[in-house]
Each structure stands twice: as structure tokens, then as C-alpha cells.
Amino acid sequence: MAFAESQNPLRVHRIPQSRYIDAVRWLSPVSPSDRFAAIAYFDADTNSPSIEIAYVDPNPQSSSPTLTPQSSWTSPSRISSLKTAHSTPQPLLAAATFSGSLHILASDLINGGVMESEATVSELGFHSGPVSAVDLREGGTECVSVGEDGRVNLVSFVGDSSKLSYRRIFDANGLVGYTAVKWASPSEFATGGYGFGIQWWDQRTSGGPVLQFKGNWCQGKTSGIVHSIDIHPSRKHTCLAGGSSGTVFAWDRRAAQQPIVLSGAGTGEAPNSLLSESEVWEVQYDRYTRRSNISNISSTRILPVMICSEDGILAVIEQGKQFLKHNYYELDRTIAKVETYIKRSHC
Amino acid sequence: MPGVSSDSARGALVPLSPESPAAAVYPLRHGLKSPISRLSISWSRGNSLRVSVFAAPSSDGSVNDGDGGKVVEVKLGGGDGEISEAHWRRIAYGSVSPFALLQSRKNAVFSLSKFSMNSSPYDGDWWDYIMEYSKDINALLVNQKSASVPVLDDPKSVITKGEEPTSLKAAWELLEMFYAEKPSHSWLPERLVDWLADYDSLFSGTHPTVHSKLVDFQKELVNLQVVEDDPKYWEVMSSALAVGWLNIVVKMLRLHGSYRLDQLSNRETENGLVEAVAVLISKMPRMRLEHEAGKLGECYKAKPDFVKAWEKWRGQINKLDSSAFWFQCAHQQTREGLRSMLQIMLGNANSLCSATYNWIELYISHFLYMRPLTVGLESMYSLAQKSIQLKPMASAHRLMGLIIGILGENTEVVLAECLKGFGPWMVAHAIELLTAGSDHAEMLLHEERQNLGGISIEELHRLVYAQVLSSFPLTWQIAPIYLISCMKHGMVLLQRLLSKQPVQDNQLLLKSIEICRLYELHSVTSNIMKIAGVHHWKHGRKGSGVFWLQQARDEYRLNRIALQLFDSVGKTISDESFKQWEGLIQLLGSDSKTAGGLEFLHKYRDFKKSLRQIHDGKATDSARQAVESLISVHIISYNLLLQVTIILSKIITRANIVM
């Protein structure tokens, strides 16, 4: 979706649903005018979790876009994490559940978005307890899954066949819990966990994380859980993380163990702007608002970041200043998992 | 049966009446083939009943299909038939912000009035706030199920199908009409006329109504060739006229055969009469501010203007009634039908009674044609009673009960009807309208009562509603807003609600903590975190457990954990397993105060680091420091001490060799 030179005024569209929404992801469009979304639902009335692919019709005549469900897949238990890999026309979905299983789904967007389960990992030893987070690599042949039980698994699958193998990269036996994960390169990924800790892993090195980050947070007061990590393809040395108490920070691996705090109570020295005081559920680099000098920004500055939080704030943060927009973005690839009660169970 | 004693407030047992109706029995399908040997029943959230059914294991030890057990969840309670569960949740969620806004405005108004000399805190703005609240909630009650059918201007369609009305919306509009609108704007009888036009269809289930007759006639109309021959045509028109649906009447009149071009020449007189009646109807004077666009009738705001127009109109009707043209009208049904319509317009009590079907319609017709200048609730109430006498109710309808309660200015009856007919949501939100609109109601509802434990009726109903919200997983999050508005017991119940939320689910845990943060319930927060910490610890998620206990600053438990960890560290000091501990140590951070007794792990790690340095041949000074600090930790197990001693001796010998 192209932006005009003058900023389009962003519009809010609420599409209330009658079921819990556990996760939402955009699927890459088949043609410029198509927009599909994958939505993980949980129907509390009938206790049935499912994933649906819906066609989002922008509908310029009426006031708000409509969601037309295309296909649905029933999950064995509630979805805890949903990620997509963009390989048109069959984008892949990785869905992790609260019962500790992982499902790879392929959806054929050309033929009505029918979803098929490509492969499933639901063995007892995969994860004990819920899977906290998964991430699919671009190109979609590998998926990393992490859980609070301290296990980091790498699942590899070959395109058409249902052959799926996983190997345990690390098992902390519960001594550490992981809550977020993100691929950085074909062999490296970052995980986040408790105490705002981020770990950097390299598949070529075995036996634990290569680098660990734990800044000097004022103990207890601003410590929290990392909910989401993002890594920009042009700046792989920096990990962006968002978590509890409205904290959004970045860790530059080349620099010392000092976090660059974009929002939050910070390390106590300089009171930063507090955008939100509640959990920041998702952070993502803002890849779509056109900025003229994006290539001129030095590699030490953090690129603009989009966040969404528990208390209903959707905002773009730029290092040093901030924009605040309480609107839902109509951009592709926007993570619209706004865990506010409005979206959650609006009927 | 003995009557309940007057000191029942002390909690005496109420004996069961022997006349109580027989218990309802519902069969439960469980799908097990083998006979059941055990049954377990427990309540879960909301209205759900969980029944666990276990089959007896087969005697020969083989496992068959249909053996084992099943857990079935039974949901009781039908709820409102017109409104689905999903719609109820939307209403519940949508009414939170209007309610919260109104409460904050109320608080602001009261705090201001303490400083000013004004005796009454309510001023012009207050009515606007109430109306805004009422309109916001009204907007939520619109029925989702209404199909938006494009309305073609079909000349043969008498009734246009708009949205499906719901009793809830009808009830809310009644309350808004009588309590929320500023007294100066109440043209109550006319408002009731409009109300009945929108909601008459709701009575069709249990009572005969004009609306149902119209709908039936509409179906027949398609097949009729000559409308004016059908007696139903005239009956239906009279009925519609009696309740003031003028547009429909005129439209139906224009369907009369005498308008057809081929008939016009030989039915001139007939057509003239029909047209005359149509014109009279469309010029009916109405005592109201204004009409919607396209509606027939002439509006008058001031009484003298209205009276003058009314007299004139009546004169015109009389003139038509006594004209000679009737003898020239050939068609008998037309003649009789039109004349009975004129009788209705003249306010003939018998005609009105025979044209209407239930007491509300009769009541409305009295307003329109017999007593258009009725003001005051007392006269409206006595008129209603007369209408009920003339047309007694076949069965009770929740809206009818509500109307009688409102007209009789009986707050208790209004509340009881709302609760019985529409549920706790209605009562909790309607109380705002009642307290605004009636001084008597305000006194009654705000008075603190001993038999309720010292709280007012208003607070009681808010607590009941909050309880209903709390028992469902999808709505418990909005209960805090209602609990906060309860002065006496709200905070305590909120703390209990939050403490009872399960901690297994991370999302719920974070949500509970968030709500605690919003309302500054620090003790509840630390309790929840402690429970979560211990829960995670016990289930093998040691990292999570330590994190939550740290957040809760639970020194006692952290020290206990230190003891446990101590023993396990003492046993395994191999390098590979130590990698696992790295993460936990990272989590603990370098500040020793909140780490509690786990600080030894730091010192142990430093010790290990310096050991590695020694292996690489580096300085022993740091090693010595590390050992010293490790030993300085207060708690140290024998095991660990032994191992440290062994390693130290190795270091010393190696150092000696180096030197």
C-alpha cells in the first residue's frame, strides 16, 4: 500500500468479534488489492480454539472494512503464538499452543485460502507446558520455538512432505524461562525472557547462548518480562525488545551492556518519556512510513519503532522524540495484536 | 406454613414451602456405553456445572471403547431470548465507559457543590450528562440481527420492516422518557404514542395487537383485487387510526378502488368522501413540538393554539359526518367504514374500545382522541387503570408491568420489574436514570439500610451486577469499574476478585497485576506475585519462580530457595550443567539485597571464573578474593565446603608448581 507524499490521515477501524482473539497476523498479499489476515480465535462459549483466514475488504464506500472468513482450522488447544512466513501464494503459518504443540499450516490464498496442516509436533518431550513463542524464518524451512520450561527447539521441515524433525538446541531445565524469540539470520536468533534478559544464539556454536544481555536495571522496580523482539535486516547487531511496565529498549551487541531505552523508567539516571505504563505486547520496526533520510540514519541510532500495549496505545517511537497515535494502522505486516479488552472480547 | 419472623435479618432459616413447584429434570448425555460407577459434580465459572462421569472398569480388565470417563460441562440459564450471549457481552462492554464517565462527572459535581452555596448540586449541565449517558447506552441496544433490506417504495406494502425491536431497548426508552428527559420537555402522551408505534410488535407474542393485524392483512393484500370489499381492510384501518399511525391509514385509504383511473368517473362521490377523510386525517392537530419529516398531522406547541385548531378540526369532522353525500355513496362498506373512522376521530369511546386490542392501545387512543391535554403522572395513571379495567391483561408482560410501575411512581415496582424482566445489568444502569429523574426515587435508592448491611440499594445492585460479571471469564475484567463505584464494600470485593484469579495462565496473571496497578492495590499485587512464584517453582520453572518472587520481594521464600539450590549446586559443579545456571544468575542481577540468599550463586560464579583463570595461568589474587567472598556467604553447606577445599588444594599445589 503506497502512501501519498502528504501523510494520509490515519483512520481507526474497529472490527468487533464475538470471540477471544489470541493472535492476528497479516498474510502477504497475492495481488496489491488483496489483503488476507490469519486470526487465532478462542470461542469461550464452546471452548473451541481455531485459526481462521479472513479476507479484509477495505470497502471504501462503507465506514469500516469487513472481515470475510475464508477458511478455518481447529486447533487442539488455545494458540499461544502465531507467526507467518511470507512465501506467496502459499504463506506458511506456525502456530504454537498452550498444550505444548507446534503446527505448521500452509494456506492457498489463490484458491480461497484453504488451510492445510502441513506438519505437527506434539510429542511429549517437545515442550513441557505452553510454548511461549515461535518464529518462522523467512523462506520458511525452519522454525524456532521457546518456552518457559527453558527449552529452545529448532524445527525443520521440508516443503511438501509432512516430514518434520526437531532438535533440542538448549534445555535449561526450567532454570531460565524464555518468552520471546526472533530470527536474525539463517543461523542466528535472539530470545528474551525474565528480568529483561536477551540472549543471542548462534547455531554454529552449541551449548547455550553466545551472548547474554542483562543491563543494570534498578532491581525489582523496572525489571520485567520481554514480550517481543524485533531485529531489522539492515541492523543485525541491534535487538529491539518490548516488555513489562511500558519498557521498550534496544541492545546493541557492539556496545557495552547498556540498554538504549526508548520508553520506560530506564536505568534511573535520566527519566525517559513514559509512553505507557503497562505491558508492551509487540514491538516492530516501522518499515512503512516513508522517511526521506532513512538511509542516512547512522547505524548507532535506533530506527523508528511501532509498539502496541495493554492499555490500548499504538504508537511510533523515534529515538529522542515520539509520535503518539491512538489509531490502528492500515499497513500490511502491521502486528495488530492489541491486547486490550476492546479487541479481545468485543461482540 | 409459619410466617417468617420479623428478626429474619439475623439469618433465620427460611422453611421451604410445601407448595413449591416440582423440580425440573434435565437428561444429561454423556456417551459412555458402560454403566456409570461414580459421579462427581462441581461448579465452575458463571453458570457452568461440571459433571464428571466414570464408568466402572470392566471385570476382565480389557479396555473397551466407551469405558473410562467423561467430563461434561452443563450451562444453565436461558437468558433473554431476544438477545444472544454475544450481544449481551457487547452491551456489557459498551456500557462501561458511559457508566464510568457519569460517575466521574457525579464526583466532580459533588465536590464542587461542597464549596459553592448552591443547595442543589444538579444544574442544567447535569441533565445533559444524564441524557448523554442514556443515549450512549441506548445506542448499544440496537439489534444486530436486523437485516438491512432496501426499502422499495412498494405501493402495496403497508408496513415497512425496519430493525427488529427488542424489549430491552423498549424498556430503556421508557425509562429515558420518564426519568431522563428534562421536565420541561415532556410531552409524555405523545412520546408514548411514538413509543407504541415502535414497539407494539413486542406484545404480539402474548397479546393481540394492531401490529399483528396489520402484518396479517399485509399478507392478504397481495391477493386482494378489490380492497374495499374486504371488511378486514376497514377494521385494520380503524385500528391503525385509533393508535395514531396516520401515515399507514392514509396510505391504505389511497389503495381504495375509487382512485383507479377507470373508476374515477362513476365513483366520484365515493372518491370525494374517501379523499375528504384522508385529508382530515392528515390535518389532525397534535399537541407536540414537532414531527419527523414526512409524518402527517399538524403540531402545536401552545395549548390555546391547539385548542382552537382542535375545535375547528372537530367541527369539520362533524360537518362531514352530517353531510348529504353519504346517501349518494353507493358502496355500503365504504360508507360504513368511513363513518366508523369518523367516529374514532370524534372520540367515541365504544369505537375506540372496539378498534383497539390491548389496554395500552386503548390508553393511547384515549390520549389521541378523548383527552389530548392530559398532563401529570397522576391523571395518566388513573387513565391507565381505567384502560386496564376495560381491557384486562390476558397475561403479564414485562413491559406492561414496567409501565404501570412508572406511571404509579412506584420506585420499588419499577426496580422489581427491571430485575425480573431484564436482569441485573438493567437495574444497575437504570438506577442512574431513576435517581436523576425522581427525588423520591433518589432518597429511596441512596438511603443506607441496616437490613442490607449498611449499604444503599444502589450499591447493592451494583455489587450484584459486578458479581455477575466476575463469574464469566470474558467479562470479569470490567467488574472492577463497577466495584470501584461502590463506596462501602467495593474495594474489599475487588481485592477478593483479584486474589481469586488463577495464576497458571500468564496472560491472566499479567492482567490481574495490571488492574492492581491501576487501583494501587499493592498488597494484593505482592500476594499474587508470591503465589505465581511458588507455583512456577513447584512446576519446574525455576527461572520464572525466582523472577516472580523477586518482583514480590519475598525475602523469606528466596532464602528458602537458596537453601534448596545450594544442595543441588553442591552436587553438580560440572561445567556443562553450570551453563544452565548462567541464565538464572543473570536473572538475579548483581544487587545482593533482593537476591536474598541467592547471592552465593554470584560469588560461586565469580569463583568459577577465577578458577578458569588459574587454569590458564593467570593471577591468583583474584582467585583468592573470590574464594574469600564465597566463604563469607553466611550459608554454606558441608558438601560445598568440602569441594571448595579439594579445589583449593589443587590450586595451591599448581601455584606452588608454577612458582
Side-chain angles (χ1 to χ4, degrees):
Chain A
M1 185 171 124
F3 269 76
E5 282 301 330
S6 61
Q7 277 286 350
N8 273 340
L10 292 163
R11 295 186 302 274
V12 186
H13 294 287
R14 273 190 200 162
I15 312 170
Q17 302 291 303
S18 64
R19 300 170 276 178
Y20 259 125
I21 296 174
D22 286 326
V24 176
R25 297 281 168 200
W26 285 110
L27 296 175
S28 62
V30 176
S31 65
S33 58
D34 288 339
R35 276 188 292 183
F36 288 92
I39 308 172
Y41 285 113
F42 177 65
D43 190 342
D45 290 331
T46 57
N47 250 337
S48 54
S50 62
I51 299 182
E52 275 186 22
I53 296 211
Y55 173 65
V56 182
D57 185 5
N59 207 345
Q61 289 91 21
S62 87
S63 53
S64 67
T66 52
L67 276 179
T68 319
Q70 304 285 306
S71 69
S72 145
W73 172 80
T74 316
S75 158
S77 66
R78 273 184 91 163
I79 304 290
S80 57
S81 177
L82 186 69
K83 286 273 171 72
T84 59
H86 305 275
S87 45
T88 53
Q90 291 229 346
L92 284 173
L93 287 161
T97 63
F98 274 102
S99 60
S101 61
L102 175 69
H103 306 268
I104 308 288
L105 306 166
S107 78
D108 190 352
L109 289 183
I110 291 180
N111 297 330
V114 175
M115 265 190 294
E116 277 173 20
S117 170
E118 286 276 321
T120 300
V121 183
S122 52
E123 295 149 31
L124 270 174
F126 185 55
H127 272 287
S128 82
V131 181
S132 308
V134 292
D135 196 19
L136 267 178
R137 220 177 58 203
E138 288 293 329
T141 53
E142 284 190 322
C143 176
V144 61
S145 78
V146 298
E148 283 190 33
D149 52 359
R151 292 185 188 163
V152 180
N153 294 321
L154 186 70
V155 178
S156 349
F157 48 93
V158 186
D160 289 333
S161 66
S162 58
K163 229 189 295 185
L164 192 143
S165 66
Y166 80 92
R167 68 181 175 91
R168 173 82 29 82
I169 290 187
F170 188 65
D171 188 351
N173 275 327
L175 292 171
V176 196
Y178 301 107
T179 51
V181 67
K182 182 84 186 175
W183 281 101
S185 75
S187 60
E188 298 164 303
F189 57 90
T191 59
Y194 290 96
F196 287 143
I198 303 184
Q199 298 84 26
W200 185 266
W201 304 74
D202 195 329
Q203 281 190 58
R204 300 165 289 212
T205 329
S206 66
V210 172
L211 276 176
Q212 294 216 36
F213 166 75
K214 179 86 171 69
N216 292 333
W217 303 97
C218 294
Q219 271 298 338
K221 188 161 181 263
T222 52
S223 185
I225 311 172
V226 172
H227 292 300
S228 162
I229 299 178
D230 196 18
I231 299 174
H232 199 273
S234 69
R235 281 162 172 66
K236 295 216 171 121
H237 45 78
T238 308
C239 280
L240 178 73
S244 313
S245 313
T247 312
V248 180
F249 66 96
W251 170 40
D252 193 334
R253 281 187 292 136
R254 306 166 306 181
Q257 293 264 325
Q258 271 298 323
I260 305 164
V261 181
L262 294 171
S263 161
T267 57
E269 298 143 1
N272 278 348
S273 55
L274 202 63
L275 185 57
S276 152
E277 283 186 26
S278 61
E279 318 286 318
V280 172
W281 289 113
E282 295 271 359
V283 291
Q284 212 191 22
Y285 281 108
D286 184 1
R287 297 170 217 237
Y288 288 87
T289 310
R290 227 199 291 171
R291 284 180 173 80
S292 49
N293 57 344
I294 203 163
S295 49
N296 296 344
I297 296 179
S298 85
S299 67
T300 52
R301 276 187 73 79
I302 310 294
L303 295 171
V305 170
M306 292 192 291
I307 69 156
C308 79
S309 78
E310 171 76 26
D311 44 12
I313 295 182
L314 270 182
V316 175
I317 305 178
E318 275 199 33
Q319 196 175 7
K321 44 183 172 148
Q322 83 193 32
F323 301 112
L324 197 64
K325 290 188 179 86
H326 287 267
N327 302 322
Y328 292 81
Y329 283 121
E330 276 191 290
L331 306 169
D332 279 344
R333 298 196 188 195
T334 301
I335 300 167
K337 184 185 171 189
V338 182
E339 295 253 349
T340 59
Y341 71 82
I342 296 171
K343 186 117 190 243
R344 238 196 167 163
S345 58
H346 220 78
C347 319
Chain B
M1 192 193 114
V4 180
S5 64
S6 58
D7 52 348
S8 57
R10 285 203 226 126
L13 287 174
V14 179
L16 274 177
S17 155
E19 302 104 31
S20 55
V25 177
Y26 303 100
L28 195 67
R29 240 170 278 135
H30 51 77
L32 289 176
K33 295 199 188 106
S34 331
I36 301 172
S37 68
R38 285 171 69 184
L39 198 66
S40 163
I41 298 177
S42 66
W43 285 102
S44 83
R45 277 233 175 99
N47 279 343
S48 310
L49 182 67
R50 288 214 179 121
V51 179
S52 312
V53 186
F54 298 98
S58 51
S59 47
D60 53 1
S62 61
V63 179
N64 300 323
D65 222 9
D67 270 355
K70 266 227 175 122
V71 180
V72 178
E73 201 173 79
V74 181
K75 287 208 174 119
L76 301 172
D80 196 329
E82 295 169 1
I83 298 184
S84 67
E85 284 278 328
H87 194 202
W88 265 117
R89 286 199 288 267
R90 171 172 249 175
I91 292 174
Y93 269 93
S95 38
V96 169
S97 33
F99 182 83
L101 182 60
L102 191 68
Q103 298 308 312
S104 68
R105 280 174 169 163
K106 225 195 246 186
N107 293 337
V109 161
F110 271 111
S111 54
L112 272 179
S113 74
K114 279 191 201 140
F115 298 112
S116 75
M117 287 295 125
N118 227 346
S119 58
S120 160
Y122 299 123
D123 55 352
D125 279 344
W126 183 245
W127 288 110
D128 293 335
Y129 294 154
I130 291 281
M131 265 322 273
E132 192 183 323
Y133 167 75
S134 186
K135 292 259 179 270
D136 285 341
I137 294 198
N138 202 352
L140 293 166
L141 303 176
V142 171
N143 195 342
Q144 306 289 297
K145 285 185 270 191
S146 56
S148 49
V149 178
V151 178
L152 295 165
D153 204 10
D154 179 12
K156 280 231 166 180
S157 87
V158 169
I159 286 207
T160 54
K161 211 152 192 230
E163 60 173 62
E164 291 267 331
T166 56
S167 299
L168 190 63
K169 190 158 195 282
W172 188 264
E173 283 191 12
L174 273 177
L175 291 168
E176 187 183 292
M177 202 190 300
F178 280 93
Y179 294 104
E181 291 189 356
K182 271 196 228 177
S184 56
H185 281 185
S186 60
W187 308 95
L188 280 171
E190 283 287 331
R191 299 276 281 113
L192 277 174
V193 173
D194 291 340
W195 182 87
L196 189 69
D198 288 332
Y199 298 112
D200 194 33
S201 54
L202 291 170
F203 297 112
S204 304
T206 47
H207 296 79
T209 55
V210 173
H211 187 269
S212 56
K213 301 280 179 235
L214 263 174
V215 168
D216 292 339
F217 182 69
Q218 169 88 64
K219 290 182 202 142
E220 290 178 18
L221 190 60
V222 189
N223 302 323
L224 277 180
Q225 293 296 334
V226 187
V227 268
E228 60 267 23
D229 285 342
D230 191 354
K232 274 222 195 86
Y233 171 71
W234 298 105
E235 278 170 24
V236 164
M237 268 204 297
S238 303
S239 300
L241 181 62
V243 287
W245 301 352
L246 305 179
N247 285 56
I248 293 179
V249 178
V250 171
K251 193 168 181 191
M252 283 179 78
L253 270 179
R254 299 254 159 86
L255 291 174
H256 194 271
S258 63
Y259 284 96
R260 299 222 314 243
L261 290 169
D262 53 337
Q263 308 269 331
L264 213 51
S265 43
N266 35 347
R267 292 168 79 171
E268 226 179 288
T269 328
E270 204 178 318
N271 185 259
L273 287 168
V274 173
E275 182 63 25
V277 172
V279 168
L280 275 175
I281 291 175
S282 58
K283 292 243 184 294
M284 178 179 173
R286 303 284 287 271
M287 186 74 193
R288 61 191 293 146
L289 275 177
E290 69 205 346
H291 257 313
E292 272 174 36
K295 287 250 163 145
L296 298 171
E298 310 226 325
C299 304
Y300 294 93
K301 288 174 233 179
K303 196 165 146 185
D305 297 334
F306 174 78
V307 170
K308 221 165 49 177
W310 187 254
E311 303 289 323
K312 187 171 159 204
W313 187 68
R314 277 281 165 86
Q316 286 170 338
I317 299 176
N318 276 316
K319 202 165 133 196
L320 181 62
D321 198 32
S322 51
S323 88
F325 289 115
W326 294 109
F327 302 108
Q328 296 173 18
C329 175
H331 198 239
Q332 189 207 2
Q333 282 104 321
T334 307
R335 196 172 58 233
E336 285 172 10
L338 286 176
R339 288 197 95 153
S340 66
M341 284 166 76
L342 288 178
Q343 284 304 307
I344 289 179
M345 293 199 279
L346 286 171
N348 182 323
N350 289 331
S351 311
L352 290 176
C353 203
S354 53
T356 52
Y357 296 101
N358 59 50
W359 73 265
I360 296 187
E361 290 168 357
L362 180 61
Y363 186 49
I364 298 289
S365 65
H366 275 209
F367 281 137
L368 283 169
Y369 300 105
M370 288 175 71
R371 308 223 194 124
L373 294 169
T374 312
V375 280
L377 280 176
E378 276 182 46
S379 37
M380 287 175 77
Y381 184 56
S382 56
L383 189 57
Q385 282 179 318
K386 279 194 208 134
S387 307
I388 296 176
Q389 274 172 359
L390 286 170
K391 283 200 185 289
M393 286 191 274
S395 56
H397 191 282
R398 46 190 172 162
L399 283 174
M400 289 183 179
L402 184 61
I403 293 175
I404 295 171
I406 295 176
L407 290 173
E409 296 182 88
N410 195 335
T411 313
E412 278 124 342
V413 170
V414 173
L415 274 182
E417 289 292 331
C418 282
L419 188 61
K420 197 171 60 173
F422 303 100
W425 173 88
M426 184 62 158
V427 182
H429 291 86
I431 281 185
E432 300 296 330
L433 298 179
L434 291 175
T435 52
S438 154
D439 288 332
H440 164 73
E442 192 197 346
M443 267 184 353
L444 184 74
L445 297 171
H446 282 169
E447 179 196 332
E448 289 175 8
R449 290 160 181 266
Q450 287 313 307
N451 63 337
L452 293 176
I455 58 173
S456 61
I457 295 185
E458 181 184 66
E459 180 162 331
L460 173 71
H461 284 112
R462 280 185 197 160
L463 290 174
V464 167
Y465 179 56
Q467 224 172 12
V468 171
L469 286 175
S470 316
S471 45
F472 290 94
L474 284 169
T475 48
W476 77 270
Q477 299 162 0
I478 52 182
I481 297 177
Y482 292 92
L483 287 172
I484 288 297
S485 68
C486 297
M487 292 296 115
K488 294 246 158 117
H489 296 316
M491 264 322 204
V492 170
L493 286 176
L494 177 61
Q495 290 177 7
R496 287 187 68 187
L497 170 66
L498 290 166
S499 313
K500 287 197 172 164
Q501 292 303 317
V503 299
Q504 294 97 317
D505 187 359
N506 229 11
Q507 310 274 31
L508 267 182
L509 175 64
L510 290 171
K511 185 78 201 174
S512 306
I513 292 175
E514 170 72 11
I515 296 180
C516 289
R517 183 185 68 81
L518 280 175
Y519 296 112
E520 296 175 2
L521 299 168
H522 302 297
S523 64
V524 181
T525 311
S526 71
N527 275 341
I528 293 176
M529 288 180 176
K530 281 181 198 167
I531 294 173
V534 173
H535 180 265
H536 283 300
W537 178 265
K538 282 191 172 165
H539 285 256
R541 295 185 284 272
K542 298 190 164 56
S544 321
V546 168
F547 170 74
W548 284 116
L549 288 172
Q550 271 186 314
Q551 294 289 95
R553 298 175 203 271
D554 192 353
E555 300 287 344
Y556 173 69
R557 276 178 197 89
L558 285 170
N559 281 332
R560 293 283 300 267
I561 285 176
L563 283 172
Q564 283 192 26
L565 279 182
F566 216 57
D567 294 334
S568 31
V569 165
K571 288 177 200 125
T572 63
I573 322 182
S574 64
D575 272 334
E576 300 83 50
S577 51
F578 199 72
K579 276 258 178 203
Q580 294 172 352
W581 291 92
E582 279 288 340
L584 187 58
I585 294 172
Q586 282 279 17
L587 178 61
L588 296 171
S590 52
D591 183 14
S592 58
K593 241 187 291 172
T594 44
L598 298 164
E599 58 182 291
F600 87 89
L601 276 179
H602 278 284
K603 308 218 163 125
Y604 188 70
R605 182 194 45 184
D606 298 337
F607 175 64
K608 291 280 286 185
K609 257 200 222 147
S610 18
L611 271 187
R612 255 177 262 130
Q613 286 179 339
I614 289 188
H615 276 284
D616 301 338
K618 293 205 184 108
T620 57
D621 271 345
S622 51
R624 198 192 315 132
Q625 276 173 6
V627 172
E628 279 173 8
S629 73
L630 182 62
I631 294 176
S632 73
V633 173
H634 292 302
I635 36 171
I636 186 156
S637 78
Y638 176 71
N639 233 348
L640 195 54
L641 193 54
L642 190 64
Q643 304 213 349
V644 167
T645 322
I646 294 170
I647 293 170
L648 267 179
S649 56
K650 282 192 197 152
I651 294 170
I652 292 168
T653 44
R654 200 168 298 146
N656 281 338
I657 291 168
V658 166
M659 282 195 300

